[in-house]
Amino acid sequence: QMRRCVDHALLRGRGVMWTGYNDKKGIVQDIFDRADHLVVDPDAKCVEEQNWQARKRIKPRWELMSRYPDSAAIIQQLPVYGKPDSGRKRSDAQSDLICYYEIWMGVGASNYMQSTEVVQADGIDTNAKKKYVIADGKVLYEGDWEIPFFHIDEWPGSYLDLIERPGCVFPLQ
């Protein structure tokens, strides 16, 4: 995994490793993911100034439904990633790929919302350091970070930049 991260940094300017809890193995582990799946706070001038970090994920519909069963009705209605909506139902709809984002907030989400009335009506706490899972503008999950990195001013996604750009969180490529 780390070799892929270094290779990606050499080729693209940035390699990314994600730290998280693996439910299947019951351990904390680091895994590689492409740098274009990392979304960082664009207002930050360096990693220490980030207020949030997100990871783009693309998974089959059935996996999202098993991971977030409380949001199964919403997940069932999500559009298929990379395909135009034809409007007809297919028998393999459970294997369709869905794009969603895992967002870790280091500050309350209310700092980034013009109006929190709609979200608060759904019972979502917008003032806490939380993890959100969002697909197509709909909140699938809101909860605590699996590993509370914010206590030590760290993020679940760490990256290796080959050449840093001063005053910017994005590296030179």
Side-chain angles (χ1 to χ4, degrees), residues 121-167:
D122 290 338
I124 294 174
D125 182 4
T126 59
N127 293 314
K129 296 178 179 183
K130 296 282 187 178
K131 175 184 174 184
Y132 299 93
V133 176
I134 298 176
D136 199 36
K138 298 169 182 70
V139 177
L140 305 179
Y141 171 81
E142 177 250 341
D144 294 325
W145 293 25
E146 296 96 349
I147 304 167
F149 286 109
F150 57 82
H151 289 301
I152 57 172
D153 293 327
E154 295 291 334
W155 295 96
S158 54
Y159 38 91
L160 170 65
D161 290 341
L162 189 61
I163 302 173
E164 290 186 20
R165 191 181 331 181

Side-chain angles (χ1 to χ4, degrees), residues 57-129:
R57 307 288 306 263
I58 301 165
K59 296 285 182 190
R61 189 182 309 271
W62 67 265
E63 189 173 324
L64 258 70
M65 292 177 76
S66 67
R67 189 174 291 176
Y68 308 110
D70 294 342
S71 299
I74 296 171
I75 294 168
Q76 196 63 40
Q77 302 300 318
L78 292 174
V80 177
Y81 177 73
K83 294 183 183 177
D85 186 15
S86 65
R88 57 189 164 121
K89 298 283 183 188
R90 300 187 345 255
S91 61
D92 64 341
Q94 294 303 311
S95 62
D96 286 341
L97 295 177
I98 305 297
C99 178
Y100 66 99
Y101 291 85
E102 295 175 322
I103 305 168
W104 292 269
M105 297 297 298
V107 298
S110 60
N111 293 329
Y112 288 91
M113 298 177 177
Q114 292 181 355
S115 172
T116 58
E117 293 172 10
V118 175
V119 177
Q120 287 174 341
D122 290 338
I124 294 174
D125 182 4
T126 59
N127 293 314
K129 296 178 179 183

Side-chain angles (χ1 to χ4, degrees), residues 26-86:
I27 60 171
V28 175
Q29 70 178 36
D30 288 315
I31 57 168
F32 166 79
D33 197 3
R34 296 174 15 192
D36 54 348
H37 287 182
L38 169 72
V39 184
V40 296
D41 182 355
D43 297 329
K45 300 214 182 302
C46 62
V47 177
E48 294 78 19
E49 293 180 3
Q50 281 184 209
N51 288 322
W52 60 269
Q53 186 180 75
R55 181 181 185 190
K56 178 180 177 180
R57 307 288 306 263
I58 301 165
K59 296 285 182 190
R61 189 182 309 271
W62 67 265
E63 189 173 324
L64 258 70
M65 292 177 76
S66 67
R67 189 174 291 176
Y68 308 110
D70 294 342
S71 299
I74 296 171
I75 294 168
Q76 196 63 40
Q77 302 300 318
L78 292 174
V80 177
Y81 177 73
K83 294 183 183 177
D85 186 15
S86 65

Side-chain angles (χ1 to χ4, degrees), residues 1-12:
Q1 295 281 337
M2 182 55 78
R3 171 176 231 125
R4 292 177 66 195
C5 178
V6 171
D7 289 348
H8 217 252
L10 290 170
L11 294 172
R12 300 254 177 140

